[in-house]
Amino acid sequence: MVKPTTPTTNKWWQSGIIYQIYPLTFADGNGDGTGDLRGIIQRLDYLNDGNPNSETCLGIDAIWLSPINKSPMVDNGYDISDYLDICPVFGTLADFEELLTEAHRRGIKVILDLVVSHTSNQHPWFQASKSSRNNDKADWYLWQDPQPNGQFPNNWLSYFGGTGWTYCAEREQYYFHTFNENQPDLNWQNPAVRQAIHDVIRFWLDKGVDGFRLDASSVYSKDPDFRDNPMKYGSSDKNAYNNQHHLYDKNLPENHQIIQEFRQVIEEYDDRALIGETFIDSRLYDSTIFYGNKNNELHLPFGFEFPFSPWHPGYLQREIEKKELITPAWAWPTQFLDNHDIPRHLSRWIECSLCSHPVSIAKAAAALLLTLRGTPFLYYGQELGMVDNMDIPADRLQDRAVVATETGELPPPRDGARTPMQWDDLPHAGFSFGANVTPWLPVHKNYTEVNVKAELAAPDSILNFYRQLIRVRQGSDALKWGSWKTLVVYPHEQLAYLRETATETVLVLINFAYEKPLKDLIDLELDWQRWTVLLSTRFEAGHVVDLPDNLVPFEVSILNKV
Ligand code: NOJ
């Protein structure tokens, strides 16, 4: 169960901390209320100013930009109409090149979102494809005749609601879309499609980008016979998509071939990374398939354990142990709490009994994320303790891609977790650098307290805790590379684990109890009593302490064997 203590390679995407930027709401450089590339450039120093002793920067190693390509924005960029250009909303190719140069100058790698399971229906490829059955792009998408009775070609559904088939009068055929009808799926059986996307990948690698996050990377390939998916017996999920076994429209064997080819393209270049939007199922016994049997697919697959977990030590520990178990020894896990598709973790995890302790929970969650084995991903604003904005008026919602389900019910929009980054207490949280323009989505009303400027100035803030944690992690081989081993067995109200290399041992203690725990943290079976504090909510960093036999409420202590 204990995985090797040293990685086989020493790659930036293994030791680094990756920060996801949602460009529409990170920073507005041109004062039009919508985030853009110039805004990001102006805020790079906050992310990492290149000075290891900086008092003001977060200190992350890479940014992942949600899509910035040309798009009609039906799915806010996840519907691309030109892969080789920047959406004017965000700026120009020259702005992007400047962002790349400025990021690299500070030691920040840049990862782009590669959205190629589908294009926008405005993409010239689709415009050509839909025009007739015999043009040169005719089979670049998934076209099928109606059934003889005029019905949809099969029972495949859209993840965003309703059937996955939309009729096109020009061709008298249906096309398939895993997501919105404006996002037709590409036909990955077609070698010309593969070639075109490889060219896209090379275009951005030639510019110097450091890797890609592959959007919807499990649904590239589809059954060539378009067989019906079987239904899941007894399943009654509100999203009908989840009531099917996706035998024929997801995770097909050919999907691996497609990702292997991406990997080959990536390997024509030095030191680039492939990250997949995978849903590693914790019921799996092995996650090798995501990395490839010969370590020839994704460098980093996402698993959604934490987004789908309650804030509960036993539950979280089970998920961590499962991930340790299913990750092959030669492979590298990822860890994340939040992204642009799900409610922010503090909104998910602060139940009534805990709602007076958001700062403590945010710090405990940060400690968990940044002390586990694997590459941590942060989502913009989580380092401030940003929570979902639940007060967005209906006429200001921007998430238009999801559609009503068969029951007529709309899934909750994703806007709450996409509101503007809270920079300071200027109008709209300084999103437009002082310009008083209405932002794309309304700022959370807590911005006068929860913002970068205020939190940098407050020693005990969530932001300063993240900053310290990041430095502690970067300075510790055990936290970066070491094995993970739990010291407690559920039921316990604390997590206690060791991260170890041959030369370093770090003990991590996280208390979930907000009053005296029912069971004391004793008998950790450690032969070592004296520990140096790396970071703690209880002890002064640098002090030497005895192994605590109990923890104060919400205590986080990261200790180094002296
Ligand atoms: C996954 C992305 O994360 C989500 O935001 C998007 O709507 C779908 N893929 C479709 O591209």
Side-chain angles (χ1 to χ4, degrees):
M1 160 73 99
V2 178
K3 292 287 153 79
T5 53
T6 40
T8 43
T9 52
N10 185 339
K11 297 290 191 186
W12 64 267
W13 48 266
Q14 293 177 311
S15 61
I17 295 164
I18 303 178
Y19 186 95
Q20 183 190 353
I21 289 180
Y22 196 67
L24 286 160
T25 48
F26 188 67
D28 168 23
N30 66 359
D32 65 358
T34 306
D36 48 42
L37 299 180
R38 301 223 66 81
I40 299 174
I41 295 171
Q42 288 186 67
R43 294 296 190 184
L44 281 176
D45 275 345
Y46 162 71
L47 297 175
N48 193 338
D49 59 14
N51 169 7
N53 302 316
S54 168
E55 291 294 312
T56 50
C57 81
L58 190 56
I60 51 84
D61 304 281
I63 50 177
W64 148 30
L65 304 175
S66 277
I68 52 172
N69 297 116
K70 210 171 238 176
S71 163
M73 294 283 173
V74 173
D75 192 8
N76 297 318
Y78 283 93
D79 48 324
I80 292 176
S81 55
D82 184 348
Y83 288 105
L84 304 184
D85 207 352
I86 301 293
C87 195
V89 165
F90 298 124
T92 61
L93 258 182
D95 292 329
F96 177 72
E97 279 159 4
E98 189 177 329
L99 169 60
L100 203 54
T101 308
E102 287 300 318
H104 285 166
R105 201 162 64 77
R106 293 165 173 82
I108 303 174
K109 306 276 187 187
V110 178
I111 297 163
L112 292 185
D113 219 311
L114 191 71
V115 187
V116 292
S117 81
H118 52 270
T119 67
S120 157
N121 62 348
Q122 301 305 310
H123 196 294
W125 297 342
F126 186 74
Q127 290 295 311
S129 190
K130 72 171 218 182
S131 66
S132 69
R133 293 190 187 200
N134 52 15
N135 66 82
D136 72 336
K137 301 277 185 301
D139 55 357
W140 278 45
Y141 293 83
L142 298 168
W143 294 101
Q144 284 292 291
D145 290 335
Q147 290 191 42
N149 61 5
Q151 283 299 302
F152 303 131
N154 66 16
N155 73 349
W156 295 357
L157 297 174
S158 157
Y159 185 73
F160 283 163
T163 174
W165 294 99
T166 292
Y167 189 69
C168 167
E170 284 110 310
R171 285 183 59 138
E172 298 181 342
Q173 278 186 312
Y174 284 97
Y175 64 88
F176 182 69
H177 46 90
T178 305
F179 298 98
N180 185 281
E181 65 179 288
N182 297 288
Q183 296 166 293
D185 283 20
L186 282 163
N187 174 13
W188 281 90
Q189 300 267 328
N190 185 335
V193 167
R194 296 187 185 202
Q195 193 53 52
I197 298 300
H198 296 170
D199 290 347
V200 168
I201 295 176
R202 287 197 185 91
F203 174 86
W204 293 105
L205 291 175
D206 285 339
K207 291 217 172 292
V209 309
D210 300 285
F212 298 96
R213 175 262 190 189
L214 304 179
D215 183 72
S217 59
S218 305
V219 294
Y220 295 143
S221 70
K222 311 287 186 315
D223 178 37
D225 297 328
F226 292 91
R227 281 169 280 188
D228 280 338
N229 281 324
M231 301 305 290
K232 278 188 198 161
Y233 179 70
S235 171
S236 57
D237 197 289
K238 274 193 204 152
N239 185 351
Y241 186 90
N242 296 331
N243 295 326
Q244 292 190 349
H245 283 293
H246 290 280
L247 276 192
Y248 296 119
D249 60 352
K250 192 175 180 184
N251 279 328
L252 268 72
E254 295 73 29
N255 216 68
H256 296 283
Q257 175 73 32
I258 294 164
I259 296 178
Q260 283 163 24
E261 287 173 11
F262 287 176
R263 177 73 174 258
Q264 284 159 19
V265 175
I266 289 271
E267 287 187 351
E268 292 166 15
Y269 298 76
D270 275 353
D271 217 13
R272 317 291 165 106
L274 267 192
I275 304 160
E277 192 201 12
T278 46
F279 290 83
I280 297 180
D281 187 327
S282 55
R283 284 166 303 179
L284 284 173
Y285 287 100
D286 184 358
S287 59
T288 304
I289 51 164
F290 296 101
Y291 300 93
N293 283 320
K294 299 190 181 123
N295 192 7
N296 55 355
E297 296 187 24
L298 299 168
H299 293 106
L300 300 174
F302 281 126
F304 280 68
E305 308 84 7
F306 292 153
F308 297 156
S309 298
W311 179 245
H312 184 284
Y315 199 104
L316 293 166
Q317 177 159 328
R318 188 184 71 187
E319 294 303 310
I320 299 163
E321 289 195 36
K322 275 190 197 162
K323 181 167 333 197
E324 285 291 311
L325 196 64
I326 67 175
T327 306
W330 45 265
W332 197 248
T334 60
Q335 311 288 352
F336 76 102
L337 305 178
D338 292 351
N339 73 22
H340 62 291
D341 290 329
I342 49 178
R344 288 178 179 273
H345 70 278
L346 282 186
S347 298
R348 300 195 307 269
W349 281 345
I350 299 181
E351 294 153 23
C352 261
S353 57
L354 300 175
C355 53
S356 48
H357 307 281
V359 174
S360 305
I361 295 181
K363 289 182 179 176
L368 182 70
L369 177 68
L370 287 154
T371 61
L372 287 174
R373 206 173 70 87
T375 303
F377 284 72
L378 306 187
Y379 179 56
Y380 82 98
Q382 92 175 59
E383 74 277 20
L384 306 175
M386 274 175 66
V387 289
D388 284 4
N389 185 351
M390 302 308 288
D391 300 325
I392 306 175
D395 62 350
R396 300 263 339 253
L397 291 171
Q398 299 280 8
D399 187 11
R400 294 173 291 139
V402 288
V403 296
T405 61
E406 274 138 33
T407 59
E409 204 170 339
L410 272 177
R414 296 167 289 184
D415 303 78
R418 298 175 174 179
T419 57
M421 176 69 173
Q422 296 169 197
W423 293 103
D424 52 38
D425 55 5
L426 292 173
H428 309 294
F431 175 61
S432 300
F433 296 88
N436 193 354
V437 283
T438 305
W440 186 73
L441 279 175
V443 170
H444 195 288
K445 59 178 184 293
N446 70 10
Y447 78 90
T448 48
E449 281 132 46
V450 178
N451 68 60
V452 171
K453 188 173 170 215
E455 293 199 32
L456 279 177
D460 287 335
S461 66
I462 298 172
L463 175 56
N464 277 322
F465 192 74
Y466 266 93
R467 293 180 56 253
Q468 289 156 10
L469 256 174
I470 288 172
R471 277 154 191 76
V472 164
R473 182 184 173 95
Q474 283 162 341
S476 160
D477 282 351
L479 288 175
K480 278 188 296 194
W481 310 120
S483 59
W484 179 90
K485 186 178 147 206
T486 186
L487 296 173
V488 291
V489 179
Y490 180 72
H492 243 287
E493 288 166 276
Q494 304 96 355
L495 291 182
Y497 48 85
L498 289 181
R499 299 290 317 277
E500 268 183 305
T501 60
T503 52
E504 191 187 2
T505 300
V506 172
L507 170 64
V508 179
L509 303 168
I510 303 176
N511 188 13
F512 286 63
Y514 53 93
E515 46 197 30
K516 184 167 165 36
L518 297 175
K519 194 168 167 190
D520 285 350
L521 186 74
I522 43 170
D523 198 15
L524 281 183
E525 291 183 17
L526 286 170
D527 51 4
W528 208 261
Q529 276 304 309
R530 307 284 286 163
W531 297 82
T532 305
V533 179
L534 291 175
L535 183 64
S536 170
T537 53
R538 174 178 177 188
F539 307 110
E540 193 83 21
H543 281 195
V544 174
V545 294
D546 282 339
L547 183 64
D549 59 7
N550 210 343
L551 304 180
V552 300
F554 293 116
E555 173 172 345
V556 170
S557 286
I558 305 170
L559 311 173
N560 203 352
K561 191 167 164 179
V562 276

